[in-house]
Amino acid sequence: MTNLLSQEISVGSIRARVNFVAIGILVVTIALMTPAQAQTYMFNRADYPTGSGSEAVAVGDFNGDGRMDVVTGNGLSNANSVSVLLGKADGTFAAHVDYSVGAAPVAVAVGDFNGDGKLDIAVLLGSSNTVVGILIGNGDGTFKPVITTTAGEGGYGMAIGDFNGDGNLDVAIADFLTNNVDVMFGKGDGTFNPPASYATGNSPRMVAIADYNGDGKLDLATVNYGDQTVSILLGTGTGTFGTHTDFATKQQGCVSVAAGDLRNKGLIDLVMGCQTLGQVVVMLGNGNGTFKAPKDYSVPAGVDTVLLGDFNGDGKLDVAVTNDETTGMVSVLTGTGSGTLKKTVASFGTNFGPMGLAAADFNGDGKLDLVTADAGSPFGVVIGNISVLLSNGKSLFAGRTDYNVSSASTTGAYTGLAAGDLTGDGKIDLAVPVTYASQLSLLFGTGSGTFKPFSTITLPTNANAVAIGDFNNDHKNDIALVNFGGGDTISILLNAGSGTFPTNTQYNTAGSGYAIATGDFNNDGNLDIVVTGEESNNISVLLGNGAGAFPSFTTYTAGSLPMGVSVGDFNHDGFLDIAVANYGSSSVSVFINKGDGTFMPQVTYSTGGNPISVAVGGFRGNGVLDLAVATDQAFGGLAILLGNNDGTFQKAVTYDTLNNAYSIVAGDFNNDGKLDVAVTIVNSGNPGFITIMPGNGDGTFGAGVTLTTGSVPSGLVVADFNKDGGLDLATANGSTIGDIGSASVLLNEPVIGLYPGSLAFGSQKTGTTSSSKTVTLSNPGGTPLKITGFTIGGTDPKDFIETNDCPKSLATGENCTINVSFSPTASGARSGSLTIKDKALSTPQTIALSGTGT
């Protein structure tokens, strides 16, 4: 590592710095912290703890309340259990309740196995000498002890259906040890008859049930890991199956299969997930049990489970796939409705090691959401979580847009970016240094969370970092740049109005700069600048003269390889102080302001790791400023130093991020009044990440939620880009291939919870009015939910009356009620709909209304 570091200094390039940072990155996307029992949805995403090593997941309404619940099969670390998480009215989940099943579950399914009208849980236990276990549901969300029936020699995947038409659910098991599919008829009491085995291709891993030849009888399809085929076994309707017919997938390592109508033609198609090369394979059905030649689509590596569903609400089936080995993501390929998939892959962060995958509408907005079972075991630490991703019905599961930043041949943005209003229109814009093109890219905001196409400013040399501020007191934001590759300077670009910057004036610093921050250090009303000198191990403070000039600088010795810098009043004396992250000395340096814009010698505090960036925030809500440091490592990736309000800091408390934190910011992303932190993760060759760690309000932090970005997210800023009251994020991205960069903008969108999804009033005498029934409208998200209106429509709108106590803006964690009464104007069946309009992207939402006039 020492030799690499020496090489990086002598080269003096940002690319060398980023490559060095990325060398030791461990592609793991969780935070080992005390898990919260429930979380607010931030950026449409929340995680909930389960038992250890949750490998499989299924959904169903276990307590009959109309809300979807979740069950996971926990097969790692000898958990040998299932976890049941009951859904709440707002789309969040209660704490998990675990049930022992005596062995490791490798698959889980939901169905009524004893015919009592209540959902039960089926588990496939053990990958050899397997048994099928049934937990009979009590109808209230609890379950009786597991009942087991011996199955075949080996089991990997399981599916359920009534194969012999007797009204009892049966199971089909992919038996990879005997190259069979084992069919077990249900007895109607939660137990099964001994298996009947049917030959398949080599090493079947999963089974999918559907009517593949259109004769009204259930058939079987297995995906065969050992010989790159899919086996089709046509059912007779009596519980027996014909000889298998095999179709080549032409891709190695296929482990999962799903069935559905990708063309909306009434024909069943197959989709396989294939691990070896990271492929999704589509085989279109001919309607007679045969299939057309396979077509493959590339997705991020680590393919495990595939699932079909209409995730963007366009009426066409899409494909979701978990990426568990490499990135901790779920990726979605949207369907065209013609049997093909769009080649652009949208990836969304989950917790580490997503294996199981299921879909349901968890928050009642009419959109199909996703849940993954996360079973990662990085460094031997086995986790257990579900990740719930709420669909917004438009851009799938989160509002992320990647913007081009230049038309140059090299567009990588390997350094910081800045956010601010550059045009004076009240809308937030972005300034992104294009690292090796000697350009500054400007993305002007529209105020709605989108940005106009880039415009670029040609620079005399490459830029390393950028800051925005009004340096000449003309009420127009200007730009300051740290230059590298030519002289020890910064550049000041004064705003001529409307976001134009005609001049570039350079001012000297002491050494090649890395990062920049601004503040009024001498309280003269003029903005000043501090720059870290990475190669010279110092900082330069440049006091502004109020006219946009910085004629001189003062140098202060810092630690080894100072990189990130932030400012704040650490001793509460009314003067801004400086904190610097020292990459080479595993510390932060604190410079206390003497009260005149000069500073005391540094005081250093150990952080561990290799600090790259530092953020300032009051993480305890007591008015005292603290420090958060990203240390470019897995263990101790985040270091928190609590301030003493006298300019000193307590010993660093570290959190294992299990990914290498790079850039860090602070902000209240879940709107709970407590500061959180967000860090970027550089993930070479794949999408990068932002991990948000919610603050507990006492200086500690909860479990992280990981989001995807563009590749190599080197810079990070926080702002409300769409003026909806929620904090959004933007990254500056480089690339490990082709040096093609971008800026990723992630919107922290409002989400909604609705319960119930329909109101049935029964019989009511015409001309009279029923008692009211209530719909609860909740805000489980991190952004205020603006409500714009309620409308009664449908066939008989005059028969239903609506009142509500909902405010125009519903705060995070709050709910309101909508009361509906039935007043039939005529006899017979009457129907209507309650339509709710709001600022969630899933708007409008509809509640079905029904009743009978007598």
Side-chain angles (χ1 to χ4, degrees):
M1 297 294 282
T2 302
N3 291 337
L4 286 170
L5 189 57
S6 299
Q7 182 183 10
E8 174 243 357
I9 294 173
S10 63
V11 172
S13 77
I14 300 302
R15 185 194 296 269
R17 282 199 286 269
V18 172
N19 285 346
F20 169 69
V21 169
I23 286 171
I25 284 180
L26 303 166
V27 186
V28 184
T29 60
I30 65 167
L32 284 189
M33 290 169 257
T34 303
Q37 290 301 312
Q39 290 188 13
T40 300
Y41 287 95
M42 296 182 289
F43 298 85
N44 293 66
R45 158 89 190 283
D47 291 352
Y48 301 90
T50 67
S52 179
S54 50
E55 293 184 327
V57 64
V59 297
D61 182 5
F62 300 135
N63 54 0
D65 62 357
R67 308 176 184 112
M68 295 305 293
D69 310 310
V70 173
V71 58
T72 64
N74 310 318
L76 294 180
S77 191
N78 297 318
N80 297 343
S81 66
V82 297
S83 293
V84 174
L85 298 90
L86 298 180
K88 297 182 180 180
D90 62 357
T92 63
F93 291 84
H96 66 100
V97 176
D98 294 347
Y99 296 85
S100 176
V101 292
V106 296
V108 62
V110 171
D112 181 7
F113 293 97
N114 63 347
D116 64 354
K118 304 168 185 175
L119 285 183
D120 313 310
I121 297 170
V123 287
L124 183 63
L125 302 173
S127 57
S128 60
N129 299 318
T130 55
V131 299
V132 174
I134 301 294
L135 293 90
I136 298 296
N138 295 315
D140 58 1
T142 65
F143 294 84
K144 293 180 170 61
V146 65
I147 305 168
T148 59
T149 304
T150 300
E153 291 186 32
Y156 226 102
M158 173 182 64
I160 62 174
D162 182 3
F163 304 131
N164 57 0
D166 65 353
N168 299 325
L169 285 180
D170 313 312
V171 296
I173 300 167
D175 190 337
F176 73 103
L177 290 181
T178 62
N179 299 330
N180 288 318
V181 60
D182 298 328
V183 176
M184 302 173 66
F185 296 142
K187 297 180 179 179
D189 60 359
T191 64
F192 298 85
N193 289 301
S197 297
Y198 298 87
T200 66
N202 186 19
S203 189
R205 293 286 293 267
M206 190 174 286
V207 57
I209 298 171
D211 180 7
Y212 297 115
N213 62 350
D215 65 354
K217 303 165 185 176
L218 290 180
D219 310 311
L220 304 177
T222 65
V223 60
N224 307 314
Y225 183 86
D227 58 11
Q228 302 173 37
T229 64
V230 171
S231 294
I232 301 297
L233 296 88
L234 299 179
T236 64
T238 63
T240 61
F241 294 87
T243 302
H244 68 101
T245 303
D246 295 343
F247 300 88
T249 62
K250 297 185 179 179
Q251 284 293 336
Q252 302 173 28
C254 298
V255 296
S256 58
V257 60
D261 184 359
L262 292 172
R263 296 164 288 176
N264 292 327
K265 294 176 63 175
L267 305 177
I268 301 300
D269 311 309
L270 290 175
V271 178
M272 281 67 66
C274 306
Q275 285 184 339
T276 304
L277 298 179
Q279 299 283 338
V280 164
V281 175
V282 174
M283 298 173 65
L284 300 180
N286 295 315
N288 59 0
T290 66
F291 292 83
K292 301 182 188 301
K295 180 176 177 57
D296 56 72
Y297 300 83
S298 294
V299 294
V303 171
D304 204 300
T305 303
V306 290
L307 180 71
L308 301 182
D310 180 10
F311 303 118
N312 59 359
D314 65 355
K316 305 167 186 176
L317 283 182
D318 312 307
V319 177
V321 57
T322 55
N323 309 116
D324 71 298
E325 290 183 1
T326 304
T327 54
M329 299 188 307
V330 60
S331 296
V332 178
L333 294 138
T334 54
T336 64
S338 63
T340 61
L341 306 175
K342 295 179 181 179
K343 292 185 177 181
T344 301
V345 180
S347 297
F348 304 91
T350 68
N351 217 312
F352 181 71
M355 297 179 69
L357 184 62
D361 179 8
F362 296 116
N363 59 332
D365 64 353
K367 309 302 179 184
L368 194 60
D369 310 312
L370 281 178
V371 57
T372 64
D374 309 321
S377 54
F379 306 101
V381 181
V382 179
I383 69 167
N385 282 95
I386 58 170
S387 295
V388 179
L389 293 81
L390 297 183
S391 172
N392 60 30
K394 293 186 178 180
S395 56
L396 297 171
F397 300 101
R400 170 190 151 200
T401 305
D402 294 343
Y403 293 89
N404 294 330
V405 294
S406 175
S407 57
S409 59
T410 59
T411 63
Y414 296 100
T415 56
L417 74 167
D421 180 6
L422 296 174
T423 61
D425 61 358
K427 302 167 185 176
I428 301 296
D429 311 306
L430 292 175
V432 185
V434 184
T435 306
Y436 294 107
S438 297
Q439 290 180 343
L440 177 68
S441 180
L442 301 180
L443 298 169
F444 294 116
T446 64
S448 63
T450 62
F451 290 81
K452 298 175 183 178
F454 66 84
S455 61
T456 55
I457 298 174
T458 300
L459 304 174
T461 185
N462 291 328
N464 194 36
V466 61
I468 292 175
D470 181 7
F471 300 123
N472 59 353
N473 294 316
D474 65 351
H475 306 293
K476 303 169 187 174
N477 273 329
D478 310 307
I479 293 173
L481 294 166
V482 177
N483 301 317
F484 79 99
D488 303 335
T489 62
I490 64 168
S491 289
I492 300 298
L493 288 72
L494 295 180
N495 195 336
S498 300
T500 58
F501 301 86
T503 61
N504 182 322
T505 305
Q506 296 189 7
Y507 299 92
N508 292 329
T509 63
S512 178
Y514 185 89
I516 187 171
T518 65
D520 183 1
F521 297 129
N522 55 358
N523 284 358
D524 65 352
N526 303 322
L527 276 183
D528 310 310
I529 289 173
V530 57
V531 179
T532 57
E534 179 197 12
E535 295 183 9
S536 51
N537 297 332
N538 59 23
I539 63 170
S540 296
V541 176
L542 298 89
L543 299 180
N545 64 6
F550 297 83
S552 63
F553 64 88
T554 305
T555 304
Y556 301 89
T557 300
S560 174
L561 298 177
M563 290 191 170
V565 60
S566 288
V567 301
D569 183 3
F570 303 136
N571 58 354
H572 218 72
D573 65 352
F575 290 88
L576 289 177
D577 310 306
I578 297 171
V580 175
N582 301 311
Y583 187 92
S585 53
S586 302
S587 65
V588 291
S589 294
V590 174
F591 298 86
I592 298 300
N593 198 323
K594 295 180 181 179
D596 58 0
T598 65
F599 294 83
M600 300 286 291
Q602 66 171 328
V603 177
T604 60
Y605 299 86
S606 176
T607 59
N610 302 111
I612 291 181
S613 58
V614 57
V616 174
F619 300 124
R620 293 165 289 176
N622 58 359
V624 179
L625 291 183
D626 312 307
L627 300 178
V629 184
T631 69
D632 186 31
Q633 67 173 16
F635 292 115
L638 171 67
I640 301 295
L641 295 88
L642 299 180
N644 295 318
N645 208 29
D646 59 0
T648 65
F649 291 85
Q650 300 172 28
K651 182 179 179 180
V653 176
T654 60
Y655 293 83
D656 294 337
T657 58
L658 291 185
N659 43 40
N660 290 50
Y662 192 90
S663 183
I664 189 167
V665 295
D668 183 6
F669 298 106
N670 55 5
N671 259 315
D672 65 353
K674 305 166 186 175
L675 273 185
D676 316 310
V677 294
V679 294
T680 60
I681 308 302
V682 178
N683 177 20
S684 181
N686 290 283
F689 299 103
I690 297 172
T691 296
I692 300 174
M693 302 174 184
N696 296 320
D698 58 0
T700 65
F701 293 83
V705 171
T706 301
L707 315 169
T708 59
T709 70
S711 180
V712 192
S714 303
L716 181 64
V717 292
V718 56
D720 183 1
F721 296 124
N722 55 358
K723 299 183 178 181
D724 63 357
L727 287 181
D728 309 310
L729 290 165
T731 65
N733 309 314
S735 175
T736 56
I737 301 175
D739 196 19
I740 304 301
S742 65
S744 293
V745 177
L746 294 86
L747 298 181
N748 194 5
E749 299 165 348
V751 297
I752 192 172
L754 286 173
Y755 176 79
S758 62
L759 297 177
F761 288 90
S763 297
Q764 184 72 27
K765 186 177 180 181
T766 58
T768 66
T769 301
S770 72
S771 58
S772 64
K773 291 182 179 289
T774 298
V775 174
T776 300
L777 189 159
S778 306
N779 179 9
T783 296
L785 176 64
K786 295 179 182 179
I787 303 167
T788 58
F790 302 89
T791 304
I792 297 291
T795 304
D796 307 301
K798 294 182 179 180
D799 289 20
F800 301 91
I801 305 165
E802 171 270 324
T803 61
N804 69 83
D805 61 5
C806 294
K808 292 183 178 179
S809 181
L810 192 64
T812 293
E814 298 296 323
N815 59 63
C816 61
T817 56
I818 309 160
N819 296 306
V820 181
S821 300
F822 178 43
S823 182
T825 59
S827 59
R830 314 296 288 172
S831 65
S833 60
L834 168 66
T835 298
I836 303 162
K837 293 185 178 180
D838 47 69
K839 292 300 182 180
L841 285 186
S842 61
T843 193
Q845 301 87 22
T846 301
I847 305 294
L849 309 175
S850 63
T852 301
T854 60

